[in-house]
Amino acid sequence: MSDVLNNDRVWIGFDLGGTKMNAMLFDSAFEVRGRRRKKSRGSEGVDAGVERIILGIQKLLEESEVSPDRLGGIGIGCPGPLNLEEGVILELPNLGWKNVPLKRLLEKEFGCPAFVCNDVDSGMYGEFQFGAAQGARTAIGLFPGTGIGGAMIFEGKIFRGKTGSCLEIGHIPVMADGPFCGCGQRGCLETVASRLAMSAEIAKAAYRGQAPYILRVAGTDLANIRSGTIKEAIDAGDKIVEAIIRDGARQLGVVLAGTVNLLAPDVIVLGGGLVEALPKLFLEEVGKSIAARIMPSYLKTYELRVASLGDDSGAMGAAAWARHCVEN
Amino acid sequence: MSDVLNNDRVWIGFDLGGTKMNAMLFDSAFEVRGRRRKKSRGSEGVDAGVERIILGIQKLLEESEVSPDRLGGIGIGCPGPLNLEEGVILELPNLGWKNVPLKRLLEKEFGCPAFVCNDVDSGMYGEFQFGAAQGARTAIGLFPGTGIGGAMIFEGKIFRGKTGSCLEIGHIPVMADGPFCGCGQRGCLETVASRLAMSAEIAKAAYRGQAPYILRVAGTDLANIRSGTIKEAIDAGDKIVEAIIRDGARQLGVVLAGTVNLLAPDVIVLGGGLVEALPKLFLEEVGKSIAARIMPSYLKTYELRVASLGDDSGAMGAAAWARHCVEN
C-alpha cells in the first residue's frame, strides 16, 4: 500500500468494559485526535448496546472532523470469553450479552477491518507499544482487579494459545482447598490476591474493629473498599490494611516467580487501579517475593515496572493491534 | 540456495549427556544414515572431551560414507547453562567443563554451521518434528529425571526467554519450606516430583521395610532405584512404590495445570525413562490432576501424550534445529 494512503489513515481503539466504554481516535503517527468515554449500560440489551458503540464511533469521527473513509481499522478490547477469529463476544456476563458478532457488525457499518481482542491483551499491547513495556522482547502483564488479568507480548505480538486468549495467571492454583473462584475451581491466585479478595479481608478486619479508617469511611461493604480507599487507609495508619495488601502482593510474587522460571521475560508490568494507587508498595513487595523464589540464575534478568497508561491502555492497545493486524 | 545443493546435504545431531553421547547422521530427507553412542568421560578433561566429540563425528561420517563437505550443519544439545548465541557451554558440572566454545570449535573443524542448544529443548524439538508433538502449535514438554526438564515449542520454534533457554518447570515453587533444590531454592517441583525425589522416598520406604521388592533388588541406595526397578516393584506389588509415583505424578499435574492456564498449549508431552516405563500410570494420574485444577473452559483444549522417540529425541531434534537455523 502507498505511503500516501498510510499517512492519511486513522485508527480507532475501543475499550469495552463491563462498566465503562473508552473510545480513542489516532492519526497515522498515533497521536490522539479525539476521545469519548461513556458508561456501559447492561440493562438496555444487546441491540441498543451495539448501537451505542457504533454511535460512539460515529460521534468520535465527527468531533474529530475525520471522514469515515479514512479509517484504517478499528480495534476493540472486550472481556472474554471471545471467539477471536470470528470476532464474536461469546458471553459478557456484566452486560448480559451472548454471541454478539461485533467484528462483522462494525465492519459492515464502517467499511474497514475490525478486530476484537481480549481486553487484558489490548491493555498490555498498549503498554508494550506506548507505555511501561516498550522495547521488551517478552513482556508479562499482571493486573489485579475484581479478578486478576494476565497477558504476554512475545516478539511484538500478543501471545495466544489454543483457546485464543491465555495467560490466565489469576487462575494458577496457589492454595489447596482454598476459597471458591469464579472460574469454577478453588484456591486460584485471584481468590487470595485480587483487589476483590483483599477488599474482603479488609472488610473482615473492619468488622472486627481492626481497621478504624475503613470502618469509618467505607463500612464493611466490600463494594465500597476501592483502590483509593485502601491507599487512604494505609496513609491513615490502618496497619492491618497494609499487612493484607503486602501479603496479597507477596502471593502475586509467588506466582510471578514461577512465571519467570517458565518464560524468562525481560519485563514484568503490574497494573490496575490498586497497583497504580500504591506503586511503591507493590514494586517493593512483589519484587522481593519474586527474587526470593526464582532460580538464582534468573535474578537481574528482568525488570519489574508499573503500568504507565492508566485507563487508556486498552483503547490505545486495541487501536495499535488493529494497525498491527492490517499491516502484517 | 538451489534444490540440488539442498538435496545433497546431510545433518548431524549430537546429544551430549552427562553420562552418554549420542550422535546421529541424517540425509536431506531426514532418514537416519548412521549413528554412534558412547559414554561421556568426565575425568579426561575438556580438551580430550572435545576431541572425542570431533572424532565421534568424523567416524560417523566415515562409517556412513559421507564426505564432510556435504555437511549442512551440526546441532548439539547440551545440559546448561549455555550461551546460546555464542554457542558456549558455560558450565557442565557432570563433566567438570567450563566456558567451552563448542560452536566455534566445531565450525572450525568441519567448515559448516554448528548450533549449540539446551538438551531438553533439542529433545522436545525432536518430539515436535518427528514424535509425539507433531503438528502442535504450542507444545509443552515435561521430562522428570534427575531433575525435571521443561521445554516449549511455539509456532515451530523453540521458545526462548531473556536468558536463552527457559521453561524451567522443575523450578516452579510448589511447597513452602520444602526440600532444598540443586538450584539454590527450596520446595521446587523437582524436589518432590523428579525421579530422583521419588527414588529417595522409595528408598526410605524400603528402609522402613515397606517396599520388600525394592529392598531385595536395589537395597536402600537411591542410585540403584532406577526407572526399570520402580516399574518392576510396582508390578511385584510394592504398594507404597505405586503410591509414591502416583503422588509425584499428581504434583506434576498441579504445576502443569498452572502451565495450561498460562499458555493454553494444544499438546503436552511427558517423557523420560520413568514416564516411558510407566506410560499408562503417568497419563492417567497427570491427566486427572491437570483436569481437576485447570479453568473449566480449558478442558479438552489439549492432548496429553507420552514422548515417542526415547533416547534419540535429543540427537534428532538437534539435527533438525540445525537445519531450521540454517534454512530460516
Side-chain angles (χ1 to χ4, degrees):
Chain A
M1 63 195 71
S2 75
D3 273 358
V4 177
L5 195 63
N6 254 330
N7 286 339
D8 202 32
R9 283 192 177 174
V10 298
W11 305 89
I12 282 178
F14 201 105
D15 189 19
L16 175 64
T19 57
K20 279 178 295 187
M21 295 179 174
N22 184 24
M24 298 176 78
L25 188 141
F26 302 88
D27 62 22
S28 59
F30 258 77
E31 297 295 326
V32 182
R33 292 286 305 273
R35 59 185 313 152
R36 286 177 65 85
R37 278 167 183 275
K38 288 276 172 193
K39 284 198 176 167
S40 310
R41 292 197 196 130
S43 53
E44 64 194 3
V46 174
D47 289 349
V50 171
E51 189 59 29
R52 270 164 68 81
I53 294 173
I54 288 173
L55 263 174
I57 294 175
Q58 285 169 341
K59 286 203 178 142
L60 181 57
L61 288 163
E62 277 168 38
E63 288 166 7
S64 316
E65 297 175 359
V66 167
S67 152
D69 59 15
R70 286 181 55 203
L71 270 173
I74 299 170
I76 179 159
C78 312
L82 311 167
N83 177 330
L84 294 172
E85 273 179 40
E86 311 278 328
V88 175
I89 299 182
L90 299 176
E91 207 181 337
L92 211 170
N94 280 18
L95 299 182
W97 291 10
K98 273 198 178 177
N99 295 315
V100 182
L102 201 52
K103 175 187 175 71
R104 190 166 56 74
L105 295 169
L106 291 173
E107 290 186 342
K108 193 177 150 202
E109 184 65 38
F110 294 100
C112 72
F115 301 90
V116 171
C117 65
N118 174 277
D119 57 347
V120 184
D121 285 344
S122 57
M124 188 58 192
Y125 191 71
E127 292 291 340
F128 168 72
Q129 282 290 355
F130 311 109
Q134 282 179 77
R137 180 172 162 265
T138 309
I140 307 275
L142 187 72
F143 304 87
T146 305
I148 295 181
M152 172 160 70
I153 310 300
F154 177 63
E155 294 187 341
K157 291 198 300 185
I158 296 171
F159 184 92
R160 288 173 175 171
K162 177 74 174 175
T163 49
S165 181
C166 56
L167 268 293
E168 292 287 0
I169 302 184
H171 298 283
I172 301 279
V174 293
M175 193 183 286
D177 304 322
F180 292 109
C181 184
C183 78
Q185 288 290 0
R186 56 191 306 179
C188 299
L189 178 64
E190 73 176 43
T191 69
V192 297
S194 60
R195 191 207 61 232
L196 182 64
M198 294 189 270
S199 292
E201 290 305 307
I202 291 169
K204 290 197 294 192
Y207 189 88
R208 292 192 305 257
Q210 290 179 289
Y213 180 88
I214 291 286
L215 192 59
R216 183 156 49 81
V217 169
T220 56
D221 182 349
L222 54 86
N224 295 332
I225 303 173
R226 307 200 60 81
S227 303
T229 329
I230 291 171
K231 181 193 165 7
E232 289 159 25
I234 292 175
D235 290 345
D238 278 1
K239 290 287 173 213
I240 185 90
V241 175
E242 182 168 348
I244 288 166
I245 300 298
R246 285 195 183 270
D247 194 61
R250 182 189 60 79
Q251 296 261 27
L252 296 175
V254 172
V255 169
L256 281 172
T259 308
V260 169
N261 285 344
L262 271 187
L263 301 170
D266 33 342
V267 172
I268 300 168
V269 173
L270 302 173
L274 184 58
V275 168
E276 286 161 40
L278 295 161
K280 198 164 153 284
L281 181 155
F282 274 92
L283 283 180
E284 184 181 307
E285 206 66 45
V286 174
K288 216 163 58 181
S289 178
I290 298 175
R293 287 172 178 85
I294 51 169
M295 287 183 73
S297 62
Y298 281 3
L299 284 167
K300 298 187 181 163
T301 61
Y302 59 89
E303 275 184 59
L304 184 65
R305 302 178 186 163
V306 168
S308 65
L309 303 179
D311 286 347
D312 284 345
S313 62
M316 294 182 78
W321 183 245
R323 184 182 57 173
H324 172 93
C325 293
V326 166
E327 294 182 353
N328 284 279
Chain B
M1 62 194 71
S2 75
D3 273 357
V4 177
L5 196 62
N6 255 329
N7 287 338
D8 202 31
R9 282 191 176 174
V10 298
W11 305 90
I12 282 177
F14 201 105
D15 189 22
L16 176 64
T19 56
K20 281 179 294 188
M21 295 178 173
N22 184 24
M24 298 176 77
L25 186 141
F26 301 89
D27 63 23
S28 59
F30 257 76
E31 297 295 325
V32 182
R33 292 286 305 272
R35 59 185 312 152
R36 286 176 65 86
R37 278 165 182 280
K38 290 275 174 193
K39 284 197 173 166
S40 309
R41 293 196 195 129
S43 53
E44 64 193 3
V46 173
D47 288 349
V50 171
E51 188 60 27
R52 270 165 66 80
I53 294 173
I54 288 172
L55 262 174
I57 294 175
Q58 285 168 341
K59 286 202 178 143
L60 180 57
L61 288 163
E62 277 168 37
E63 287 166 9
S64 315
E65 296 175 358
V66 167
S67 152
D69 58 16
R70 287 181 53 202
L71 270 172
I74 299 171
I76 179 160
C78 312
L82 311 167
N83 177 330
L84 295 172
E85 271 178 43
E86 310 278 329
V88 175
I89 298 181
L90 299 176
E91 208 181 338
L92 213 170
N94 280 18
L95 300 181
W97 291 10
K98 272 197 178 177
N99 296 314
V100 182
L102 201 51
K103 177 187 174 73
R104 189 167 56 74
L105 295 170
L106 290 173
E107 290 186 341
K108 191 176 153 206
E109 184 64 38
F110 294 99
C112 71
F115 301 90
V116 171
C117 65
N118 174 278
D119 57 349
V120 184
D121 286 344
S122 57
M124 187 59 192
Y125 191 70
E127 293 290 342
F128 168 71
Q129 282 289 356
F130 311 109
Q134 282 178 77
R137 179 171 162 266
T138 310
I140 307 275
L142 187 72
F143 304 87
T146 305
I148 296 182
M152 174 160 69
I153 310 300
F154 177 64
E155 295 188 339
K157 292 198 298 185
I158 295 171
F159 184 92
R160 288 172 173 169
K162 178 72 173 176
T163 49
S165 182
C166 56
L167 267 294
E168 293 285 1
I169 302 184
H171 299 283
I172 302 279
V174 293
M175 192 183 287
D177 305 323
F180 292 109
C181 184
C183 78
Q185 289 291 359
R186 55 192 305 180
C188 298
L189 178 64
E190 71 175 45
T191 68
V192 297
S194 61
R195 193 208 58 233
L196 181 65
M198 295 190 267
S199 292
E201 290 306 306
I202 291 170
K204 289 196 293 191
Y207 189 88
R208 293 191 306 257
Q210 289 179 290
Y213 180 88
I214 292 285
L215 193 58
R216 184 156 48 81
V217 169
T220 54
D221 181 350
L222 55 86
N224 294 332
I225 303 173
R226 307 198 61 81
S227 303
T229 328
I230 291 171
K231 181 194 167 5
E232 289 159 24
I234 292 175
D235 290 344
D238 278 2
K239 291 287 172 212
I240 186 91
V241 175
E242 182 168 347
I244 288 166
I245 301 298
R246 284 194 184 270
D247 194 61
R250 181 188 62 79
Q251 296 260 26
L252 296 176
V254 172
V255 170
L256 281 172
T259 309
V260 168
N261 285 345
L262 272 187
L263 301 170
D266 32 343
V267 172
I268 300 168
V269 173
L270 303 173
L274 184 58
V275 168
E276 286 161 38
L278 295 161
K280 198 163 153 284
L281 182 155
F282 274 92
L283 283 180
E284 184 182 307
E285 206 67 45
V286 173
K288 217 162 58 182
S289 178
I290 298 175
R293 289 173 177 84
I294 51 169
M295 287 183 73
S297 62
Y298 281 2
L299 283 167
K300 299 187 182 163
T301 61
Y302 59 91
E303 276 184 58
L304 184 65
R305 302 177 187 165
V306 167
S308 65
L309 304 179
D311 286 349
D312 284 345
S313 62
M316 295 181 77
W321 183 246
R323 184 182 57 173
H324 171 93
C325 294
V326 166
E327 293 182 354
N328 283 279

